[in-house]
Amino acid sequence: MHFVYIIYSSDKDTFYIGETSDIELRLEWHNSTIFKNSHTKIANDWTVFHLIKCVDIFQARKIEKHIKSMKSKTYIYNLKKYPEISEKLLLKHS
């Protein structure tokens, strides 16, 4: 199982979107110094904002790309507010 994850830093008021098979480990990495060249290096208070369970890495990468292409905080908030958006993404990219 793979996940598309959206994490949020309240300190910097910003989101990061990624994909992983181990969300707990990935969150730990984002809050440490492991990702030196990543956007997440700007903060160490990342928390999981939203998760989408995908069937495999290929589906996760397609959905991750779609969300990133939207370039919209409103879209990210709506993903959490309206679960049917995530459901439609899973169907579209299955």
Side-chain angles (χ1 to χ4, degrees):
M1 179 169 300
H2 240 73
F3 299 92
V4 173
Y5 63 93
I6 301 172
I7 55 178
Y8 177 74
S9 166
S10 58
D11 183 41
K12 300 294 182 180
D13 189 30
T14 190
F15 291 98
Y16 179 81
I17 304 150
E19 57 82 16
T20 187
S21 61
D22 188 339
I23 187 61
E24 291 174 13
L25 180 61
R26 186 59 59 96
L27 184 61
E28 184 180 316
W29 288 355
H30 283 299
N31 282 315
S32 71
T33 58
I34 289 177
F35 292 127
K36 295 181 188 323
N37 296 320
S38 171
H39 171 72
T40 59
K41 72 182 177 187
I42 65 170
N44 61 359
D45 68 331
W46 296 100
T47 57
V48 175
F49 179 80
H50 187 64
L51 284 176
I52 301 173
K53 291 181 189 177
C54 300
V55 293
D56 57 30
I57 191 171
F58 305 108
Q59 183 183 42
R61 286 184 176 165
K62 288 176 188 176
I63 293 172
E64 174 193 13
K65 183 178 178 180
H66 170 81
I67 295 169
K68 286 180 174 180
S69 73
M70 298 304 288
K71 299 182 181 187
S72 169
K73 277 188 175 183
T74 301
Y75 186 76
I76 291 171
Y77 283 117
N78 284 339
L79 278 172
K80 187 170 183 171
K81 187 175 181 180
Y82 304 107
E84 60 270 18
I85 298 173
S86 295
E87 292 168 15
K88 286 181 183 178
L89 285 173
L90 288 165
L91 287 173
K92 179 179 178 184
H93 298 289
S94 57

